[in-house]
């Protein structure tokens, strides 16, 4: 027991810190009391031995984490502008991220530096009329009206979503003009982001450029809503979020170039650290990329310090960093999906690969099936809880698209280098990469457009439970009984898919004006739809259940 404790004591301490930080979401300890308790536990630990010392240190970190988490949540929940909702005035704002365009407005993440002559520094959501969008990192002036975020509506609570990101007011602007750019670390991140965005796909535009922006920078703003929905329903939306694979490609690319150039390993590892840091600045603070960046940086530091690499310890430290910055990260779907997928890769993927060894499946395809199957199984409950649906054909879509992802990312990085050394070659590489991006988008459209591409509610839970039962039974049953069990499981899956196909599917979005007369029993009930939104004329009596009819038609919100 003592040997086991000595081996895993760093994991115990990191896990205790994560637990304490996460607990602040549920119980906020008094600052002075929690800090005093943490200091007391830490001070008492040197006088103890063995398990008692480890337990005292773990308790100190847990209580200290709870104290720090409460302090951070109090800072995030504090707002100067919340008391000024309804006021109108001139504001100086800093654009902190890419603009998202909706059918009715521009939604810009920003930070207010001055409002009506008062200096402050508070994040807001800036809403602007449709038109030219402000660039990331710009300092802009605008006359804004402060509004409270919307409450729960159509299953989405905007107020809670924004509050967890430190945003307590929405600034509705009438126009804007740029007066400068931010400086410091933010300005450096903007320059790296601008340069990378400019050089990864020179000469490309439209959908292909938007797919490459998603693969490299994690930005899906350039994609149409239709293609974005297809990526979600096909199970390929994770490709548009920066992940650990991106960071591994960046670090691996630097090490490969250094090896080909004959540069020493020490210099190469330092270069990999610098490349990981620059990439993190370029793509921004995202749970998956911060986790992967921490793991990659610690791996390089471990090599430089001649220390062993421990992926579980690196994972816990990444979680601790994210939770220390904002304990609300625990409730973020991106955080949950990222860490659940990585844990599944560590635990379940080897077991699934061993299970598939007895079947005539090529090695590369076996790995894709194992990774997508294990990650899909681990993330399905989260997707169902957070978004109400789970992609049905994610293994098939990943098997089709996965071979193209690594070449596309590698080509994008090569294009970024060639853009500074040999621009004509960069244009050729970008043209080739455009076809790879078109193939990935085609996979999303093909699989995401199949009937029953997404399942929800009881059906999804049944599918997850069935997959877990298959994995368990195939490991426990004798080999001669496995084929019959798999045939039975396959027939059950076909039954579930058939059940899903029998469900009423909404018609495709309108391309022009569409009028639908609803059965309300008496009077009129007319739905007017255009690509920009929908308007309902007279909902009829309550017993008409027009809300149910609208959901069946795929209408989730009225303009």
């Amino acid at each position: 027991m003592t040997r086991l404790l000595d081996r895993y004591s760093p994991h115990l301490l990191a896990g205790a810190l994560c637990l304490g930080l996460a607990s602040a979401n549920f119980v906020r300890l008094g600052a002075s009391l929690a800090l005093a308790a943490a200091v007391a536990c830490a001070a008492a630990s040197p006088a103890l031995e063995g398990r008692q010392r480890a337990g005292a240190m773990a308790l100190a970190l847990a209580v200290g984490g709870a104290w720090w988490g409460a302090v951070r949540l109090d800072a995030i929940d504090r707002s100067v502008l919340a008391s000024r909702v309804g006021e109108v005035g001139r504001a100086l704002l800093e654009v902190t991220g890419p603009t998202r365009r909706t059918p009715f407005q521009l939604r810009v993440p920003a930070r207010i530096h001055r409002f009506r002559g008062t200096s402050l520094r508070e994040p807001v959501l800036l809403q602007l009329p449709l038109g030219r969008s402000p660039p990331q990192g710009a300092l802009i002036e605008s006359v804004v009206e402060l509004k409270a975020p919307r409450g729960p509506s159509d299953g989405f609570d905007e107020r809670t979503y924004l509050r967890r990101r430190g945003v307590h007011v929405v600034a509705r602007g009438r126009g804007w003009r740029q007066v400068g750019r931010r400086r410091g670390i933010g300005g450096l991140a903007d320059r790296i982001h601008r340069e990378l965005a400019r050089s990864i796909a020179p000469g490309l535009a439209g959908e292909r450029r938007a797919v490459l922006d998603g693969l490299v920078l994690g930005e899906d703003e350039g994609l149409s809503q239709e293609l974005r929905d297809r990526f979600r329903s096909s199970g390929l939306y994770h490709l548009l979020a920066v992940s650990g694979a991106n960071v591994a490609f960046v670090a691996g690319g630097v090490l490969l170039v250094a090896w080909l150039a004959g540069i020493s390993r020490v210099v190469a590892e330092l270069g990999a650290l610098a490349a990981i840091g620059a990439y993190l600045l370029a793509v921004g603070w995202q749970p998956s990329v911060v986790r992967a960046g921490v793991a990659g940086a610690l791996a390089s530091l471990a090599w430089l310090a001649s220390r062993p690499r421990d992926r579980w310890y690196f994972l816990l430290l990444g979680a601790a960093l994210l939770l220390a910055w904002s304990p609300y990260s625990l409730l973020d779907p991106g955080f949950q999906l990222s860490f659940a997928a990585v844990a599944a890769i560590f635990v379940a993927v080897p077991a699934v690969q061993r299970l598939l060894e007895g079947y005539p499946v090529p090695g590369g395809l076996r790995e894709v099936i194992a990774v997508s199957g294990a990650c899909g199984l681990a993330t399905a409950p989260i997707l169902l809880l957070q978004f109400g649906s789970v992609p049905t054909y994610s293994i098939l879509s990943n098997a089709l698209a996965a071979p193209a992802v690594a070449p596309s990312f590698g080509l994008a990085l090569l294009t970024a280098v060639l853009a500074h050394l040999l621009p004509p070659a960069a244009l050729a590489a970008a043209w080739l990469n455009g076809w790879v991006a078109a193939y990935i988008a085609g996979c999303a459209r093909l699989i995401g457009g199949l009937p029953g591409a997404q399942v929800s509610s009881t059906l999804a839970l049944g599918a997850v439970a069935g997959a877990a039962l298959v994995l368990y039974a195939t490991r426990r049953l004798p080999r001669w009984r496995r084929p019959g069990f798999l045939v039975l499981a396959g027939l059950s899956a076909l039954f579930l898919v058939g059940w899903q196909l029998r469900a009423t599917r909404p018609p495709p979005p309108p391309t022009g004006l569409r009028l639908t007369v609803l059965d309300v029993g008496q009077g009129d009930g007319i739905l007017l739809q255009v690509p920009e939104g929908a308007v309902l004329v007279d909902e009829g009596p309550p017993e008409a259940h027009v809300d149910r009819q609208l959901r069946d038609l795929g209408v989730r919100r009225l303009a």
Side-chain angles (χ1 to χ4, degrees):
M1 181 67 182
T2 303
R3 183 181 302 174
L4 189 67
L5 187 62
D6 290 340
R7 180 179 179 183
Y8 292 106
S9 59
H11 306 76
L12 173 65
L13 298 179
L17 178 59
C18 292
L19 184 63
L21 291 167
S23 67
N25 288 291
F26 312 104
V27 178
R28 299 194 189 183
L29 301 180
S32 56
L33 178 63
L35 183 59
V39 171
C41 291
S45 61
L48 303 175
E49 295 182 358
R51 287 179 290 179
Q52 294 179 343
R53 176 185 295 180
M57 286 301 299
L59 182 60
L61 285 172
V63 177
W67 164 75
W68 176 253
V71 171
R72 284 295 300 151
L73 290 182
D74 288 340
I76 294 171
D77 291 342
R78 192 178 304 121
S79 173
V80 175
L81 296 175
S83 61
R84 305 183 67 173
V85 167
E87 295 185 16
V88 179
R90 184 171 297 276
L92 175 66
L93 304 103
E94 169 191 320
V95 179
T96 58
T99 300
R100 180 172 292 276
R101 184 181 297 268
T102 73
F104 305 103
Q105 62 187 357
L106 302 177
R107 296 170 65 88
V108 186
R111 184 178 291 110
I112 284 190
H113 287 260
R114 190 171 61 250
F115 178 69
R116 297 184 65 175
T118 303
S119 296
L120 62 150
R121 188 177 176 84
E122 182 174 332
V124 297
L125 175 62
L126 175 63
Q127 294 179 349
L128 294 172
L130 291 176
R132 186 171 62 96
S133 59
Q136 180 174 329
L139 291 175
I140 63 174
E141 283 189 345
S142 177
V143 176
V144 300
E145 178 185 6
L146 301 183
K147 307 284 288 186
R150 295 193 306 269
S153 173
D154 192 28
F156 177 66
D157 188 350
E158 183 185 58
R159 184 179 300 126
T160 300
Y161 173 82
L162 293 177
R163 180 176 59 83
R164 291 173 180 170
R165 286 155 179 78
V167 177
H168 301 277
V169 296
V170 174
R172 186 172 299 172
R174 303 171 184 173
W176 61 274
R177 70 183 185 94
Q178 184 171 345
V179 296
R181 283 192 171 275
R182 62 178 174 177
R183 301 178 181 179
I185 293 295
L188 176 62
D190 294 332
R191 288 193 294 273
I192 297 175
H193 178 275
R194 255 192 333 270
E195 189 59 31
L196 189 59
R198 183 189 66 83
S199 58
I200 59 173
L204 290 183
E207 182 177 285
R208 299 183 183 190
R209 174 59 186 259
V211 171
L212 292 179
D213 285 343
L215 289 175
V216 179
L217 299 172
E219 298 176 357
D220 64 348
E221 286 78 12
L223 295 175
S224 66
Q225 185 61 47
E226 177 265 338
L227 183 55
R228 203 178 295 138
D229 291 340
R230 289 298 177 90
F231 267 97
R232 286 194 181 94
S233 59
S234 65
L236 294 177
Y237 196 76
H238 64 92
L239 299 181
L240 304 178
V242 178
S243 65
N246 299 52
V247 177
F249 280 132
V250 171
V254 172
L255 295 176
L256 176 62
V257 171
W259 178 74
L260 292 175
I263 300 174
S264 69
R265 180 66 183 271
V266 174
V267 177
E269 292 289 349
L270 292 175
L273 281 172
I276 290 173
Y279 188 63
L280 290 179
L281 288 175
V283 300
W285 188 270
Q286 303 177 35
S288 58
V289 72
V290 171
R291 170 194 54 75
V294 169
L298 289 176
S300 292
L301 290 174
W303 188 92
L304 291 170
S306 299
R307 300 294 298 271
R309 300 179 180 182
D310 190 324
R311 58 184 184 176
W312 280 108
Y313 185 56
F314 294 169
L315 182 68
L316 288 171
L317 288 182
L321 176 62
L322 286 165
L323 292 171
W325 179 256
S326 173
Y328 281 138
S329 298
L330 179 71
L331 309 176
D332 182 70
F335 180 95
Q336 297 170 6
L337 292 170
S338 176
F339 282 87
V342 173
I345 291 174
F346 290 172
V347 175
V349 168
V352 178
Q353 287 180 323
R354 288 193 298 269
L355 176 65
L356 295 175
E357 285 178 355
Y359 298 91
V361 181
L365 181 59
R366 184 187 306 141
E367 182 177 358
V368 171
I369 293 175
V371 172
S372 59
C375 293
L377 190 64
T379 58
I382 301 172
L383 290 172
L384 189 62
L385 179 65
Q386 296 284 2
F387 305 107
S389 62
V390 178
T392 308
Y393 312 117
S394 59
I395 295 180
L396 174 60
S397 61
N398 280 278
L400 291 174
V405 175
S408 179
F409 191 85
L411 269 175
L413 295 182
L414 177 62
T415 303
V417 175
L418 291 175
H420 298 86
L421 303 177
L422 198 60
L427 289 173
W431 175 83
L432 178 61
N433 206 7
W435 286 102
V436 182
Y439 170 76
I440 295 173
C443 292
R445 277 205 169 91
L446 174 65
I447 306 303
L450 292 176
Q454 283 186 305
V455 296
S456 58
S457 188
T458 308
L459 187 57
L461 290 176
V464 172
L469 180 62
V470 168
L471 290 177
Y472 176 79
T474 50
R475 288 176 59 85
R476 296 294 183 182
L477 290 177
R479 286 187 175 273
W480 64 273
R481 295 184 61 183
R482 292 179 186 179
F485 183 84
L486 291 175
V487 169
L488 180 61
L491 292 175
S492 301
L494 289 176
F495 173 76
L496 288 174
V497 172
W499 184 16
Q500 172 70 12
L501 295 180
R502 289 181 66 249
T504 302
R505 296 188 58 80
T511 57
L513 174 64
R514 177 188 295 166
L515 276 73
T516 305
V517 179
L518 306 177
D519 181 9
V520 297
Q522 61 180 14
D524 295 325
I526 302 175
L527 178 67
L528 308 177
Q529 290 177 277
V530 292
E532 293 77 16
V535 174
L536 178 65
V537 180
D538 195 350
E539 63 174 331
E543 59 269 17
H545 298 296
V546 170
D547 56 338
R548 187 184 307 163
Q549 297 186 56
L550 293 178
R551 282 195 296 269
D552 292 340
L553 291 170
V555 178
R556 310 295 299 180
R557 179 169 296 173
L558 295 172

